Every structure is written in structure tokens, then in C-alpha cells.
Amino acid sequence: MGESGSGKTTAALSLLRLLPPGATTSGRIELFGRDVLGLPERALERIRGAQVAMVFHDALAALNPVMRIGAQISEALRAHRPLSTATARAEAERLLCSLGLAAETARLYPHQLSGGMRKRALIAVALACGPALLVADEPTSSLDAVAQAGIVELFRKIREERGVALLVATHDPAIAARLCDRIAVLYAGRIVERAPSAELIARPRHPYTAGLWRSLPPGPGAGPAMRLHPVPGSAPRPWALPGGCSFRERCPRASEECAAREPALVDLGRGHEVACFHPLEAA
């Protein structure tokens, strides 16, 4: 979780080494004991889709506009499994039906589908080869409330019935809470708070996380006097990070210590980690 520009999508793309040309990575990303960052491109091609798959932010841009939906799922299947055209087509239709779409959807083009249907079709492409990890980048963006609820429920079903690990990049804590066991809050490309979902939402300890919660619209039943309290200022550019704590210029609790050095991520108990010299008290 985090504001736009916090590094959510960059982190997600790094898992499959899909960052644009010129981007560099460091450290390790281990998948089944192998460092993804050190693998040759041919080995990565065998992993992408088969072991790790991604549901991209914009379904219309991610789907091929000149290929029917069934052909795109079949293409993913045949890239990793020795299937005939007919078998791959039948498997594509079965997969679409399991995700709440009609088998006839396989014969349609992306522009003929609604936003929610396109998102389900993109999920079908990602799930085609049975990956162990599914990465979803803003999976409910640009959808109405009803479609959002349907996609969230679909991801819950996928996780529970298929045993797929799920990594979600989102702005919405409600979606994160429903889909994820743990939440990591990013700011300026760094994790500033990480905890079990229920713990983090009930007791945010980092001033940035608490600020995000205060800036959310109130739920149904809130009084008309309820006001939003956005986090003041804006996130720094990745190429112009300030010294010390990157959040200090927006933080009401900042001190001289925050300008002198960057806080480390420290476990405050119950698996709740915070990178802050002045964390909020537990409620």
C-alpha cells in the first residue's frame, strides 16, 4: 500500500524482471530457492506465467486488442504446455466459466467486454498455467463498486480454492484487509510499516500510515460533518530523496534526529514492524 509513486508497481514488476530498460535492481528475489535477478532470460521465460503470473493495472492495455480472448488464453497455455489447438481452446473456455464468464466470451475481442469482464479475462490469462504466485497491480481500479466487489470476491476464491499466493498492490486498505494476511506500507520506495492486516488497520504506528487512514472517505452512516484530513504535501521524487527519513518534511512528529539518519525497520511486537524514530503509541 501507499500513495501513487510510492513504489508499489515497481516492486511488483521487479519480481518478474519487467522493469523498463535502464532500470537497475539489487539484492535478491528468491523464488523456490532461486534468485530471479540472476537468472538468464530463457529461464525467466519458463517462470513467467507458469510459476508467477501478473494481473496488470490496465486490463484493456494488457490484453491484445486484435486477438480474441480465447486465443490469448490458449497462447499462454501452449507457451508452457504441449497442447493441441482444440484442447487449449476447450481449456480456455473452461477457465473462463470458472471465473464467472460465459464460454462464448472466448470468441470476443477485448473491446467487446465491460471493464469487469476484461479484468476477469486478464485473470484467466494469468491463471492459465496454474502459477504458484499471482501478482495483482491495482486489480480493482477503474471499476464501479459492484464490479470491484466481484473482483475482490473472485481473488478470495482463487486464493482459497487454488492455493495461489497473492501479492496485491493497492491504494485501498479495505481491499488489502479482505485479500491479504499481511500489509506493507511503502513510502518513497521503502517499507515504513509492516504488520498482520488486522493489526495494522486497527493500530497504525507510523505517522504516514495513520495519515493515510485519516484521509480515507468515511463509510456509510458517517455524519455530514465528517471531514477528510489528507496528508499535507506530496511524496518526494525518487531521484531527489531528502536525507534522513524521507517522510520527515510531511511529518508532524519529525525531529532533528529524523533529518540526521534514516530509521531502520524495527519490530515493536506481535510482528508489527515500523521504520520511525517517533512511532505512535499502540491504541
Side-chain angles (χ1 to χ4, degrees), residues 102-114:
E104 291 75 19
T105 307
R107 295 191 285 273
L108 300 178
Y109 291 95
H111 73 273
Q112 295 176 295
L113 307 181
S114 67

Side-chain angles (χ1 to χ4, degrees), residues 94-142:
R94 183 199 64 78
L95 183 56
L96 287 169
C97 291
S98 72
L99 298 180
L101 296 173
E104 291 75 19
T105 307
R107 295 191 285 273
L108 300 178
Y109 291 95
H111 73 273
Q112 295 176 295
L113 307 181
S114 67
M117 294 172 70
R118 278 196 294 266
K119 188 69 76 171
R120 288 174 185 262
L122 186 59
I123 294 171
V125 175
L127 288 176
C129 296
L133 171 62
L134 188 63
V135 182
D137 184 16
E138 294 290 353
T140 61
S141 63
S142 305

Side-chain angles (χ1 to χ4, degrees), residues 159-254:
R159 192 187 68 170
E160 294 169 4
E161 296 183 0
R162 296 173 180 260
V164 176
L166 188 62
L167 177 67
V168 181
T170 180
H171 293 90
D172 192 335
I175 290 174
R178 291 189 63 190
L179 291 178
C180 303
D181 299 316
R182 293 180 62 81
I183 297 176
V185 179
L186 272 69
Y187 185 80
R190 184 168 181 258
I191 293 176
V192 297
E193 186 165 12
R194 180 167 57 198
S197 300
E199 165 74 14
L200 189 140
I201 289 175
R203 287 173 287 275
R205 305 292 300 276
H206 196 284
Y208 175 60
T209 308
L212 290 180
W213 278 201
R214 288 194 300 269
S215 67
L216 292 172
M226 184 71 178
R227 297 183 61 187
L228 302 183
H229 298 278
V231 181
S234 57
R237 300 296 184 185
W239 55 86
L241 296 179
C245 175
S246 297
F247 185 61
R248 63 182 173 81
E249 295 179 356
R250 307 173 69 188
C251 182
R253 302 169 71 89

Side-chain angles (χ1 to χ4, degrees), residues 34-57:
R34 305 172 70 190
D35 183 11
V36 173
L37 299 184
L39 292 177
E41 187 64 29
R42 183 61 60 87
L44 279 171
E45 290 175 359
R46 292 193 291 268
I47 289 174
R48 293 176 183 140
Q51 296 180 351
V52 183
M54 188 161 182
V55 178
F56 292 93
H57 169 71

